[in-house]
DNA sequence: GTCTATAGGCGGATAGAC
DNA sequence: GTCTATCCGCCTATAGAC
């Protein structure tokens, strides 16, 4: 009776991590459909059959790839702490912090895949609504009648920022400094969250 | 020597149009990679080989699908006419008019494909920069040092709007009336185009 | 113009030997 | 745990008969 009788995942941890890392970049660069298990296995230096051995299906591999590294419960308090008037700026800065980090690879994978694949789109939509938007909106104590619209407006701006900066790579947004984007896009989010909804 | 000795496209126009229509919806719903010539042919009620007969390759079929119906030279004057202070609002309204129309199907196809396919991403990027942004920015007579940033900021907001409304279908943005979106997002574009770039 | 037949490739998944 | 062998499917594209 060893100490790890429960919760132990099957397989050699090193091999498993190598597959996960290769899968993360593959899904981020090509999206769910275009990424192939065979290519991922080659990059990881393992046999394709091993990928199935560890993750059973391509879908479960994708889930393991994107689900692990994003934990909004840890980040959001930092966004919501501090003055209510700077929520927009802090939201942009935190957002960029996640996407510019290694963790952002998983986010790119999710966004890329969500566009050409129905069930990943649903995954993204549910992640947005239940994990991010609801928490932010709850904390800001908004009019319940307006909150959903405010939340989805924020989503449009942040999704577009991610698309242009990390997927399409449109300049100069793709290479702009976080400070520039915080200064320009922060006020937009601020107005979507706490400003008037009709006129600027 | 008939009147149409030159410029006559090969093939039966009806069949050709049926293929084009089927291709437009297929590319819009599934993106370039996932859409198949076989499925397009089935929807159009023709033989797969005919698709190649008319359009040679899948890539040329895609080009014919998205290139024809979008002509910014016709729309942009409407956006730019009138007061400089309402450019943002008119830009949103025109944008929604295009995407909500049948023509918008081609736009969805381009956006969806651009995410999982390099050469379509380049197609979209060049379309944005040379056909849309340059014309708008030129007409507004902006500081040349700031114009590129302003243009790409506008792109982030419009791309995100398209993503959430037409691809991910996040509510309530997906079902919002044009008036609502013009009132909320118009001011954002207005500030990106003519407002201060540092603070709101 | 239209269709049949097929070449030639890559994909996910599985069974079973070692 | 790891790998070989293989099934079975879908794809684009082409040659050539009708």
């Amino acid at each position: 009776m060893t100490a790890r009788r429960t919760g132990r995942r099957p397989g050699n941890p090193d091999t498993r991590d190598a597959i996960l890392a290769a899968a993360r970049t593959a899904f981020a660069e090509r999206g769910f459909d275009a990424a192939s298990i065979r290519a991922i296995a080659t990059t990881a230096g393992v046999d394709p059959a091993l990928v199935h051995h560890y993750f059973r299906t391509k879908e479960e591999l994708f889930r393991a790839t994107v689900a692990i590294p994003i934990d909004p419960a840890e980040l959001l308090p930092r966004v919501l702490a501090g003055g209510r008037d700077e929520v927009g700026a802090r939201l942009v800065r935190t957002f960029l912090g996640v996407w510019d980090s290694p963790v952002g690879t998983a986010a790119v994978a999710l966004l890329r895949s969500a566009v050409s694949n129905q069930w990943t789109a649903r995954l993204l939509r549910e992640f947005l609504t239940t994990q991010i938007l609801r928490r932010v909106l709850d904390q800001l104590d908004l009019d319940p009648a307006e909150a959903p619209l405010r939340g989805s407006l924020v989503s449009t701006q942040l999704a577009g920022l991610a698309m242009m900066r990390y997927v399409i790579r449109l300049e100069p947004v793709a290479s702009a400094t976080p400070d520039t984007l915080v200064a320009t896009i922060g006020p937009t989010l601020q107005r979507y969250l706490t400003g008037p909804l009709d006129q600027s």
Side-chain angles (χ1 to χ4, degrees), chain A:
Chain A
M1 42 192 82
T2 73
R4 41 177 160 73
R5 226 187 62 229
T6 53
R8 176 75 159 82
R9 286 189 175 277
N12 180 331
D14 288 353
T15 311
R16 198 172 189 280
D17 286 352
I19 295 172
L20 261 186
R24 193 132 47 218
T25 61
F27 284 133
E29 282 170 3
R30 329 227 320 124
F32 178 81
D33 290 331
S36 80
I37 290 188
R38 287 157 130 95
I40 289 170
T42 303
T43 305
V46 305
D47 191 278
L50 271 186
V51 180
H52 284 108
H53 177 66
Y54 285 116
F55 300 95
R56 289 190 48 84
T57 68
K58 188 181 178 183
E59 186 170 322
E60 283 188 41
L61 172 61
F62 182 81
R63 262 191 246 278
T65 296
V66 300
I68 292 173
I70 304 181
D71 181 16
E74 187 195 355
L75 286 169
L76 284 180
R78 270 194 5 222
V79 176
L80 298 167
R84 179 193 171 89
D85 298 346
E86 290 93 29
V87 176
R90 280 198 307 272
L91 191 51
V92 178
R93 196 174 294 281
T94 305
F95 187 81
L96 291 175
V98 171
W99 286 72
D100 283 328
S101 79
V103 170
T105 314
V108 177
L110 188 52
L111 180 62
R112 253 213 171 87
S113 305
V115 171
S116 59
N117 195 287
Q118 282 208 325
W119 75 265
T120 51
R122 183 176 161 184
L123 213 65
L124 175 60
R125 194 168 49 233
E126 287 174 357
F127 177 75
L128 275 177
T129 53
T130 68
Q131 300 299 310
I132 307 279
L133 294 178
R134 220 190 47 194
R135 295 172 196 237
V136 174
L137 297 173
D138 283 357
Q139 289 292 323
L140 286 177
D141 197 29
L142 302 173
D143 179 352
E146 292 181 343
L149 178 58
R150 292 185 185 276
S152 56
L153 285 172
V154 169
S155 299
T156 66
Q157 176 60 89
L158 289 181
L161 172 60
M163 275 280 294
M164 288 300 151
R165 184 173 169 94
Y166 302 101
V167 176
I168 308 292
R169 300 189 206 282
L170 180 74
E171 296 294 353
V173 154
S175 315
T177 65
D179 282 342
T180 301
L181 297 173
V182 168
T184 51
I185 295 180
T188 297
L189 300 188
Q190 186 70 42
R191 183 165 55 77
Y192 288 162
L193 286 173
T194 65
L197 273 185
D198 44 351
Q199 295 295 355
S200 169

